[in-house]
Amino acid sequence: MTTSIVKIENLSHRYSLDWAIRDINFEISPRGVLGLLGSNGAGKSTTMNILCGVLNQTEGNVFIDGIDTRLHPEQAKRKLGFLPQHAPLHLDLNVDEYLTYCAHIRDVPAKKVRMAVAEVKNKCGISHFSKRLLSNLSGGYKQRVGIAQAIIHHPLLVVLDEPTNGLDPNQILEVRKLIKEISEERSVLFSTHILSEVQATCKEIRMIEGGRMVFADTMEAFNNYIMPNSVLIYLNNPPSIETLSRLPDITSAEPLSDGGLRLHFKGSQKNISGMIIEASISNGWQLSEIMLEKSSLDEIFAQLSNHKKPA
Ligand SMILES: Nc1ncnc2c1ncn2[C@@H]1O[C@H](COP(=O)(O)OP(=O)(O)OP(=O)(O)O)[C@@H](O)[C@H]1O
């Protein structure tokens, strides 16, 4: 990462006695979507709330465009837009009234408010609902209004806390598309506990678990990391476990209660199925089923936590 618009250094936060996050470090580049992945209670909202100046950290520093958020909170907050987990919508206002109000509190010059409102409505696809009361919008459209208020003052960084939570599959796709569009002009940090969400949207990923950063790299590196390393097979005429364990690249084999066998392998998954099929044919094992096993998010969290968590 060459330049960054956000720098988070040794960030820790304690609610009363318990540490919610501990020693979090990362930077955010000026364009694109960075995904903050973590299970419920991992510390995503705490991190985002501190970044956005809603919460004061116990330890560590946050710089937005070089501005220390603790020393100059107002200046720092001008650089960012925030959609918290519970969108701060005034349900008794209509879309125009609400966005006009947001433009004013975000110090958009009075002469430019109408234009700014029209621009974000257009960008977020809500122009046709200008006079609709927020209380009468669907979940997906409420979320679009929430995103519109976060970008109305042209911030460098937009922080979205679980923006697709509670939406139906179509709404999720639409909000993802909107997030990608927004990230063409600025940086977007968004959090989720759903792995496929970051896989679909982000180039970079930061993963926290139990308040600690357990993974920080590109989505590509993450996908490589979570490549399957076991395969399930069903053989009508199976050999002994020892024979299977001696196959090339197979590190161990275990019998399953349903009659299947799990083979753990090292190296690339690409050649493994071919090798097993060939071995089955030449030895008459009668392979009836073969499938690569994918790790669940829980397993990935556990693996990464054990691997990277500082003592
Ligand atoms: N106001 C609070 N007082 C005490 N503990 C809190 C408070 N807010 C959060 N916590 C605790 O801090 C930890 C991190 O919570 P946080 O909300 O940051 O996680 P999260 O990853 O955003 O989870 P979720 O997706 O469920 O919102 C959790 O153990 C949570 O119970």
Side-chain angles (χ1 to χ4, degrees), residues 32-33 160 174-186 188 197-203:
V33 192
L160 308 170
E174 286 167 7
V175 169
R176 274 185 199 163
K177 188 164 163 266
L178 179 57
I179 291 173
K180 277 193 179 161
E181 284 167 11
I182 288 171
S183 73
E184 283 163 17
E185 297 163 9
R186 59 178 64 79
V188 176
E197 220 29 19
V198 274
Q199 282 172 319
T201 324
C202 308
K203 285 216 169 75

Side-chain angles (χ1 to χ4, degrees), residues 132-148:
R132 176 85 55 102
L133 278 183
L134 297 188
S135 57
N136 294 336
L137 289 176
S138 67
Y141 277 98
K142 281 197 181 99
Q143 218 51 348
R144 284 168 185 245
V145 175
I147 293 173

Side-chain angles (χ1 to χ4, degrees), residues 56 58 63 69 71 93 104 127 146 155 159 168 195 212 259 288 298:
N56 261 331
T58 312
F63 300 94
T69 55
L71 297 180
L93 297 181
H104 283 300
S127 301
V159 179
D168 70 32
L195 177 57
R212 303 265 182 173
S288 60
D298 284 346

Side-chain angles (χ1 to χ4, degrees), residues 31 38 45 62 67 227:
R31 295 274 182 284
S45 296
V62 177
I67 302 167
M227 281 298 183

Side-chain angles (χ1 to χ4, degrees), residues 15 20 39-47 85 162 193:
Y15 295 103
S39 53
N40 289 333
K44 305 179 295 294
S45 296
T46 303
T47 307
Q85 207 164 20
E162 307 220 16
H193 59 273

Side-chain angles (χ1 to χ4, degrees), residues 44-55:
K44 305 179 295 294
S45 296
T46 303
T47 307
M48 289 181 147
N49 287 339
I50 295 170
L51 172 61
C52 295
V54 178
L55 190 65

Side-chain angles (χ1 to χ4, degrees), residues 187-301:
S187 176
V188 176
L189 173 68
F190 97 99
S191 70
T192 177
H193 59 273
I194 302 164
L195 177 57
S196 56
E197 220 29 19
V198 274
Q199 282 172 319
T201 324
C202 308
K203 285 216 169 75
E204 288 272 332
I205 174 173
R206 303 291 175 268
M207 189 166 171
I208 43 180
E209 190 53 18
R212 303 265 182 173
M213 180 84 75
V214 294
F215 189 89
D217 209 325
T218 60
M219 201 61 240
E220 202 186 339
F222 184 80
N223 284 335
N224 287 335
Y225 189 88
I226 62 166
M227 281 298 183
N229 60 3
S230 62
V231 62
L232 290 185
I233 58 169
Y234 292 83
L235 303 170
N236 293 330
N237 180 29
S240 67
I241 291 290
E242 290 70 34
T243 306
L244 289 170
S245 309
R246 282 197 296 271
L247 287 171
D249 289 332
I250 300 297
T251 52
S252 64
E254 56 176 300
L256 303 174
S257 55
D258 64 355
L261 294 147
R262 176 177 287 121
L263 305 185
H264 294 273
F265 60 89
K266 58 177 189 216
S268 160
Q269 60 168 317
K270 281 187 194 144
N271 310 323
I272 212 76
S273 304
M275 182 278 290
I276 294 170
I277 292 166
E278 269 180 33
S280 168
I281 293 169
S282 54
N283 293 294
W285 295 338
Q286 298 175 20
L287 178 71
S288 60
E289 211 174 321
I290 179 165
M291 59 188 148
L292 286 162
E293 276 194 303
K294 286 223 162 87
S295 307
S296 73
L297 193 54
D298 284 346
E299 285 163 347
I300 297 165
F301 279 136

